[in-house]
């Protein structure tokens, strides 16, 4: 076959794809009308997850599962934007891992708002300036983000979905080799997580380590200073056209961060595989057995608790705590309802959402 002929085949397939995509959008539009009539939310993470799982299992290649996921996430984002344009706020700056997380879920089509603090993302969602907010909740090497937990307690927003993304760091620099690097910019946590690499490559030269607020800022600074380097994400390096000298320099290759997608008044439909997040403000936690008794109720009803974190009441004189709790199940499951009913005055439900691996 000639190049011309092959390209003709591709063009003809593109025409078919376009027709099919538009036909898909027409059906999506009908779903949108139904949702408007019943005043229900547009974004259905559990439905999108089910579609992804189904098409991946149907796939016979050569497209990889990751490629299919990337393509479908863009299709979903385009579909939702037809139903209703939506704005997504995320913890910036541009090129941050949260930005990466937001784009991985909402695609390149959506309108984004870059905000400087976790609190400002909560506020944007709470006041309706953004439909969704993306913020980190925990890192599997560093633990929970307390600021997020505290704001979930204080603010009236829900958790619509969770997602987890791998966190890889790169050493990006204009310098030709490590010996020319006199300064390294990064965030405290990134320095900590790349200590083994730094010891190995910079034992002799001992460059100065300069802490900045974000790894994107580090990339920006390193792009302006050829005797320096940044520890940052590949995305941030790309954003500032900074060459990557070494990739995946973190000591632990299993480094992952979990994010929440926040929304106002958001209730998911149940899926087969849900998690529920709540806050428990138990009374009299200074008395013996109060917390143990509460936890016992979950055990008795065969509910698997996956997380419990205690947080102090701000401004309180005593050492009393409230709890951030996660469990397996949907909030309307019979057993979960029993616990919710029994402790209704002490529990604040934050969301039930499809569990993501
Ligand atoms: C079309 C729907 O709405 C949205 C778009 C989806 C899609 O493009 O398939 C899936 C789930 C929702 O986020 C739906 O709920 O079915």
């Amino acid at each position: 076959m000639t190049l011309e002929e092959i390209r003709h085949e591709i063009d003809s397939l593109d025409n078919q794809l376009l027709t099919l995509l538009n036909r898909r959008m027409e059906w999506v539009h009908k779903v949108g009308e139904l949702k408007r009539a019943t005043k229900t939310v547009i974004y259905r993470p559990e439905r999108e997850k089910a579609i992804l799982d189904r098409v991946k299992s149907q796939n016979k290649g050569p497209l990889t599962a990751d490629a299919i996921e990337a393509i479908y996430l863009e299709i979903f984002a385009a579909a939702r934007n037809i139903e209703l344009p939506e704005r997504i706020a995320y913890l910036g700056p541009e090129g941050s891992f949260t930005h990466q997380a937001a784009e991985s879920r909402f695609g390149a089509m959506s309108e984004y708002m870059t905000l400087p603090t976790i609190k400002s993302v909560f506020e944007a969602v709470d006041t309706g300036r953004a439909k969704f907010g993306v913020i980190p909740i925990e890192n599997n090497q560093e633990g929970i983000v307390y600021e997020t937990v505290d704001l979930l307690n204080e603010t009236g927003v829900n958790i619509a979905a969770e997602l987890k993304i791998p966190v890889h760091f790169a050493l990006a620099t204009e310098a030709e080799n490590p010996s020319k690097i006199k300064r390294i910019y990064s965030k405290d946590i990134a320095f900590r997580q790349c200590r083994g690499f730094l010891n190995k490559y910079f034992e002799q030269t001992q460059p100065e380590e300069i802490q900045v607020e974000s790894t994107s800022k580090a990339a920006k600074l390193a792009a302006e200073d050829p005797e320096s380097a940044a520890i940052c994400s590949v995305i941030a390096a790309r954003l500032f056209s900074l060459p990557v000298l070494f990739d995946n320099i973190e000591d632990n290759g299993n480094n992952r961060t979990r994010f929440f997608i926040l929304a106002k008044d958001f209730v998911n439909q149940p899926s087969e595989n849900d998690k529920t997040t709540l806050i428990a403000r138990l009374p009299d936690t200074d008395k013996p057995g109060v917390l143990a008794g509460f936890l016992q109720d979950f055990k008795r009803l065969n509910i698997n608790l996956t997380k419990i974190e205690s947080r102090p009441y701000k401004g309180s004189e005593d050492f009393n705590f409230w709890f951030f709790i996660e469990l397996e199940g949907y909030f309307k499951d019979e057993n979960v309802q029993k616990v919710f009913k029994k402790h209704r005055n002490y529990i604040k439900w934050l969301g039930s959402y499809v569990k993501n691996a």
Side-chain angles (χ1 to χ4, degrees):
M1 255 188 169
T2 64
L3 179 64
E4 230 93 293
E5 284 166 341
I6 298 172
R7 286 191 171 158
H8 181 76
E9 288 300 316
I10 293 176
D11 287 348
S12 134
L13 284 172
D14 279 340
N15 290 346
Q16 290 176 53
L17 271 177
L18 186 64
T19 307
L20 286 174
L21 283 172
N22 276 317
R23 268 176 53 200
R24 188 185 195 284
M25 294 303 163
E26 280 161 21
W27 287 109
V28 167
H29 186 69
K30 286 194 207 302
V31 173
E33 279 171 353
L34 274 179
K35 285 178 181 167
R36 248 184 302 283
T38 51
K39 291 203 166 49
T40 52
V41 292
I42 302 288
Y43 179 40
R44 286 284 173 214
E46 82 290 348
R47 167 73 178 147
E48 295 184 6
K49 174 91 170 28
I51 295 175
L52 276 178
D53 289 347
R54 197 182 63 78
V55 290
K56 282 187 199 165
S57 73
Q58 293 261 319
N59 177 40
K60 297 198 177 68
L63 276 178
T64 61
D66 282 351
I68 289 184
E69 178 154 340
I71 292 167
Y72 265 85
L73 289 173
E74 288 299 335
I75 293 177
F76 295 145
R80 289 194 308 261
N81 275 289
I82 282 183
E83 289 183 65
L84 191 78
E86 53 195 20
R87 193 185 295 138
I88 293 109
Y90 68 87
L91 172 66
E94 232 185 305
S96 66
F97 286 104
T98 313
H99 184 193
Q100 214 171 310
E103 281 211 345
S104 82
R105 184 54 65 94
F106 292 101
M109 273 273 310
S110 299
E111 187 190 335
Y112 290 100
M113 243 170 123
T114 313
L115 295 175
T117 59
I118 293 180
K119 188 165 196 233
S120 54
V121 175
F122 271 84
E123 280 167 1
V125 175
D126 202 22
T127 56
R129 278 192 300 131
K131 181 83 188 165
F132 298 104
V134 186
I135 40 91
I137 172 69
E138 62 181 320
N139 174 271
N140 68 349
Q141 311 300 315
E142 302 280 334
I144 202 105
V145 180
Y146 288 117
E147 193 182 348
T148 297
V149 173
D150 289 351
L151 285 161
L152 284 167
N153 177 42
E154 290 157 21
T155 322
V157 302
N158 295 116
I159 301 162
E162 69 168 2
L163 71 142
K164 295 170 185 163
I165 63 163
V167 176
H168 295 301
F169 291 111
L171 188 86
T173 176
E174 297 284 353
E176 279 155 38
N177 60 58
S179 69
K180 304 232 163 94
I181 295 168
K182 303 223 161 69
R183 287 167 290 284
I184 303 180
Y185 298 102
S186 200
K187 224 178 127 141
D188 51 351
I189 168 171
F191 280 120
R192 221 167 34 241
Q193 295 191 349
C194 302
R195 191 49 62 202
F197 168 86
L198 291 170
N199 288 344
K200 186 164 161 209
Y201 283 88
F202 296 102
E203 209 189 349
Q204 303 299 324
T205 52
Q206 296 279 328
E208 187 188 354
E209 291 181 4
I210 302 171
Q211 288 198 14
V212 291
E213 320 81 90
S214 71
T215 51
S216 315
K217 170 111 184 259
K220 182 168 188 280
L221 292 170
E224 293 160 0
D225 172 3
E227 289 193 332
S228 75
I231 298 176
C232 60
S233 68
V234 172
I235 290 203
R238 214 178 286 145
L239 196 66
F240 297 101
S241 309
L242 191 63
V244 170
L245 194 58
F246 298 96
D247 197 4
N248 299 340
I249 62 169
E250 63 279 353
D251 299 338
N252 185 331
N254 300 322
N255 194 354
R256 294 207 300 157
T257 299
R258 175 174 174 233
F259 297 85
F260 277 153
I261 295 174
L262 306 173
K264 185 91 179 158
D265 302 325
F266 196 96
V267 185
N268 279 305
Q269 296 294 322
S271 77
E272 298 287 277
N273 193 17
D274 287 313
K275 269 171 88 175
T276 291
T277 301
L278 61 97
I279 276 161
R281 302 177 185 127
L282 304 176
D284 308 323
T285 44
D286 49 346
K287 299 212 174 75
V290 171
L291 176 61
F294 178 68
L295 296 180
Q296 202 58 38
D297 287 337
F298 291 92
K299 177 162 189 236
R300 198 167 43 79
L301 291 157
N302 204 20
I303 298 170
N304 186 26
L305 291 182
T306 53
K307 184 178 298 299
I308 173 162
E309 294 271 345
S310 62
R311 295 293 296 150
Y313 286 99
K314 284 180 190 160
S316 151
E317 259 182 39
D318 288 326
F319 288 82
N320 287 329
F321 295 87
W322 52 271
F323 301 94
F324 175 81
I325 292 174
E326 303 201 303
L327 53 93
E328 283 176 359
Y330 184 72
F331 76 113
K332 284 194 179 152
D333 289 352
E334 208 184 309
N335 53 355
V336 181
Q337 270 300 310
K338 279 192 183 143
V339 182
F340 273 48
K341 285 214 177 97
K342 178 164 175 198
H343 300 283
R344 82 172 70 74
N345 296 332
Y346 317 125
I347 284 180
K348 179 187 176 192
W349 172 80
L350 293 173
S352 295
Y353 47 89
V354 60
K355 190 165 148 187
N356 260 289

